[in-house]
Amino acid sequence: MSLVRAVRLGKAALALGVVTPAVVAAPVPVLAGNTNFLNGGGPPVDTIDMLFWVFVACASLILIGVGGAILYAAVRFRRRDPDEMPRQIHGHNRLELAWTIGPLVLLAALFVLNVVNVGYLRHGPNPASAAARQEIHIRVIGRQFYWTFDYPGGKSSLRTLVIPVNTPIELSTESLDVIHGFWVPNLGAKIDALPGIVNHAFLEANRTGTFGGQCYEFCGLGHDQMLITVKVVSMSQYQSYLQHLPASSA
Ligand SMILES: [Cu+2]
């Protein structure tokens, strides 16, 4: 190691020693609620979980099938004698058709399952259904480094989103500066908040409680503080919460 490099490393270590206690002492924002998407808090995340498990099951079957076939072939057809010449096989039509058509059918089925459910995750319940008629529209605005939520009636909240239970929430997301990402893993919504473009997502909770989320797009030095708290309450609690909120300023 050259002397110059050793001095530089020493300086860096010294700097870390000075900076680290200050960083550790700074208040660290903490997620307010559960963020495990496998512990579903509503119909959208149940749909995501269903897709997740179907894909995991298919991938596991393929892993076991292909891995098992490789292991079987390696053991069953291993070289037993240095002079041995294995049986030479030139093609097998039925086998080749099976391993071409089988994956095609499986991929087509997974594709259709995905497309059908992504439509629901993006747009919520069928517009003709009773559930869609009680839908509430909430505008989500991201900016460095916090979220605001505009409710119907011109009311607005900061960092914490309050929604009624068992009610579809149509979200429109936008940003006032750089790209942010709105995500509450336990309730299913994950959507970009882009400057100049309005995006849409759908969120619904089937139990009351507090759910955590965060900005998932690195947006600057305060990115880690762009946390989201979603409080799911009864419809009457939601309405009384709205009454006490200040008017929107965005
Ligand atoms: Cu961010």
Side-chain angles (χ1 to χ4, degrees):
M1 188 188 292
S2 73
L3 185 63
V4 175
R5 194 154 172 236
V7 170
R8 274 193 198 144
L9 276 175
K11 279 184 179 170
L14 191 66
L16 270 178
V18 173
V19 168
T20 303
V23 170
V24 170
V28 179
V30 179
L31 280 173
N34 185 6
T35 54
N36 177 5
F37 77 102
L38 291 174
N39 179 15
V45 80
D46 289 345
T47 303
I48 291 171
D49 290 356
M50 179 274 290
L51 288 173
F52 174 79
W53 287 120
V54 168
F55 275 75
V56 165
C58 292
S60 304
L61 282 177
I62 291 167
L63 175 72
I64 291 167
V66 174
I70 290 172
L71 281 178
Y72 172 78
V75 174
R76 169 83 175 74
F77 303 107
R78 70 187 183 279
R79 195 178 197 186
R80 292 181 171 85
D81 183 331
D83 298 327
E84 182 188 347
M85 172 59 80
R87 191 158 62 94
Q88 301 299 297
I89 301 167
H90 298 282
H92 189 295
N93 284 345
R94 273 199 300 182
L95 202 56
E96 285 166 18
L97 274 175
W99 75 47
T100 306
I101 293 172
L104 265 180
V105 170
L106 181 65
L107 284 177
L110 291 176
F111 174 77
V112 171
L113 184 72
N114 216 18
V115 166
V116 167
N117 284 289
V118 163
Y120 165 71
L121 289 172
R122 196 80 197 267
H123 304 294
N126 185 332
S129 67
R133 281 196 288 280
Q134 20 161 300
E135 207 165 70
I136 292 173
H137 175 246
I138 295 174
R139 190 170 161 228
V140 177
I141 301 156
R143 71 195 92 186
Q144 291 166 316
F145 294 98
Y146 58 95
W147 297 96
T148 51
F149 306 101
D150 287 357
Y151 302 83
K155 298 298 185 80
S156 179
S157 69
L158 174 73
R159 297 185 198 276
T160 298
L161 169 66
V162 176
I163 59 170
V165 69
N166 291 324
T167 308
I169 311 292
E170 194 221 333
L171 299 178
S172 64
T173 62
E174 51 201 288
S175 165
L176 297 186
D177 38 50
V178 298
I179 298 175
H180 300 283
F182 179 90
W183 190 24
V184 184
N186 212 266
L187 298 180
K190 184 176 189 188
I191 194 86
D192 281 348
L194 305 167
I197 295 174
V198 178
N199 262 342
H200 296 275
F202 152 66
L203 191 125
E204 184 175 348
N206 59 8
R207 58 183 155 95
T208 56
T210 302
F211 301 92
Q214 64 190 97
C215 176
Y216 65 83
E217 196 72 55
F218 181 67
C219 54
L221 283 178
H223 168 65
D224 62 314
Q225 289 158 38
M226 273 193 83
L227 301 180
I228 304 157
T229 302
V230 179
K231 286 190 175 158
V232 182
V233 297
S234 68
M235 182 56 92
S236 59
Q237 285 171 320
Y238 168 75
Q239 280 160 352
S240 92
Y241 171 78
L242 278 196
Q243 279 177 357
H244 295 96
L245 265 186
S248 165
S249 58

